[in-house]
Amino acid sequence: MPRILDGKTVRDQIKAELKPRVAAFRESTGRAPGLVVVLVGNDPASEVYVASKTATADELGIYNETLTYPATTTTDELLAVIARLNERPEVDGILVQLPLPAHVDSQRVLLAVLPEKDVDGFHPCNIGAMVTGRPAPKPCTPAGIIELLKYYQIPVEGKHAVVVGRSDIVGKPMAALLLQQNATVTICHSKTRNLAEICRTADILVGAIGRPAFLKAEHIQPGAVVIDVGVNRVDDYGLAETIFPPERLANFAKKGYLLTGDVNPADIEKLASAYTPVPGGVGPLTIAMLMFNTVGAAERRIAQA
Ligand code: GUN
């Protein structure tokens, strides 16, 4: 039986370590670290994520605001919002929830966030700092995965890590962080030839493509550590039948869908030495790392003031 890498345990440890830092910050500044989330439009998944982020901030005593704008908001209007937040001294972190509506120039909006307030680690300055090993906020999901690997003492140095997916949010920064831990890193994507063959050489396989159970037995080396970043809703019963065992299908009838990662769960069970479950693996870490970045940004801003 493979070992389950439980993200909730690691999340709880990260949060427990943040509490005294928030208290010390309050003590020395007379205020809480401050986070503002900018939410544009009515994407239901984004609304759920943002609600979770603000609930976690509340729990840790981090001051937070959510600014919501209609889907019709223009790039210029958002740039003006960001400019005002950059100016507010009590705002340590600014998070623009993605995706933004298609007509908005997301790159320009993300570039407008002051690097020192960029708690997502998406600003090119912070990406550059990360790639060159300088201290800076790191993108939350891959940074959380590195914390998880450390917590479970999974060796990374000298291992072959294969990251499937090259998004700016997960795949690319994941590869950079694994490289920094001295893994040998391969990034695969939709144009990669011989995907299964490459994946089968992975000691650490990271699925970050957003396609339900796309990676299967043929992609998993026996004994591999599988990190599954995907959270995919399967609402087609025929597809669900090919992925889930009968006992889980019972839940499909109740909810009308089931969640699965990018890697087939039954094949993980058969082949992996350790894996992150979906849900409960990588998911809980992202928000914990956002809080970590917010507290870190607040501390650095005060130290520099
Ligand atoms: N949308 C999905 N994941 C993320 C994330 O990590 N940060 C932001 N800002 N938006 C997201």
Side-chain angles (χ1 to χ4, degrees):
M1 282 282 278
R3 188 149 65 124
I4 294 176
L5 308 174
D6 177 18
K8 297 194 284 301
T9 306
V10 186
R11 169 198 67 193
D12 290 346
Q13 175 174 299
I14 295 166
K15 288 201 300 197
E17 286 171 4
L18 286 175
K19 282 185 182 158
R21 286 172 60 187
V22 172
F25 184 88
R26 270 180 182 277
E27 183 73 27
S28 67
T29 65
R31 69 170 179 89
L35 170 68
V36 175
V37 179
V38 176
L39 176 61
V40 185
N42 305 96
D43 178 51
S46 288
E47 283 172 356
V48 171
Y49 286 137
V50 167
S52 269
K53 288 171 185 179
T54 56
T56 309
D58 284 342
E59 184 196 333
L60 291 177
I62 293 173
Y63 172 79
N64 63 89
E65 282 174 31
T66 303
L67 305 179
T68 49
Y69 298 96
T72 49
T73 308
T74 63
T75 301
D76 283 343
E77 284 165 339
L78 281 174
L79 291 174
V81 168
I82 303 292
R84 285 197 294 276
L85 295 174
N86 283 341
E87 288 293 321
R88 281 174 56 185
E90 81 289 11
V91 174
D92 300 293
I94 302 169
L95 179 139
V96 181
Q97 183 65 28
L98 300 177
L100 289 170
H103 67 270
V104 173
D105 185 341
S106 302
Q107 295 278 11
R108 272 185 78 198
V109 172
L110 294 180
L111 194 64
V113 175
L114 272 181
E116 55 266 38
K117 295 192 177 189
D118 165 36
V119 285
D120 257 324
F122 290 165
H123 193 286
C125 282
N126 289 327
I127 302 280
M130 174 184 66
V131 170
T132 53
R134 293 174 165 86
K138 298 178 176 68
C140 300
T141 301
I145 292 168
I146 295 293
E147 292 305 312
L148 177 101
L149 293 171
K150 280 192 193 145
Y151 181 91
Y152 285 102
Q153 299 182 343
I154 298 201
V156 175
E157 184 161 307
K159 301 291 180 187
H160 186 204
V162 175
V163 179
V164 188
R166 56 172 155 180
S167 68
D168 291 345
I169 295 182
V170 182
K172 286 182 204 166
M174 183 78 261
L177 292 177
L178 288 164
L179 179 63
Q180 207 160 60
Q181 303 288 314
N182 296 319
T184 303
V185 181
T186 303
I187 306 180
C188 296
H189 47 79
S190 54
K191 303 284 187 291
T192 297
R193 282 181 272 169
N194 307 327
L195 178 69
E197 201 179 301
I198 297 169
C199 289
R200 273 203 309 276
T201 65
D203 303 308
I204 299 170
L205 179 65
V206 182
I209 39 178
R211 294 175 66 173
F214 177 78
L215 301 172
K216 303 188 170 58
E218 58 174 339
H219 301 91
I220 307 171
Q221 167 162 240
V225 173
V226 175
I227 305 295
D228 196 342
V229 184
V231 183
N232 307 298
R233 242 176 116 119
V234 179
D235 44 22
D236 171 349
Y237 191 77
L239 179 61
E241 272 185 316
T242 68
I243 300 173
F244 300 102
E247 63 271 20
R248 282 206 60 199
L249 286 173
N251 255 342
F252 189 101
K254 266 189 243 156
K255 294 201 291 187
Y257 69 93
L258 286 172
L259 289 182
T260 194
D262 289 349
V263 192
N264 187 287
D267 295 336
I268 292 179
E269 278 288 332
K270 269 187 278 180
L271 292 162
S273 61
Y275 72 98
T276 57
V278 177
V282 172
L285 297 166
T286 303
I287 294 176
M289 292 313 290
L290 171 66
M291 300 303 134
F292 178 90
N293 283 347
T294 302
V295 174
E299 290 168 344
R300 283 190 295 274
R301 289 184 64 242
I302 291 304
Q304 281 158 14

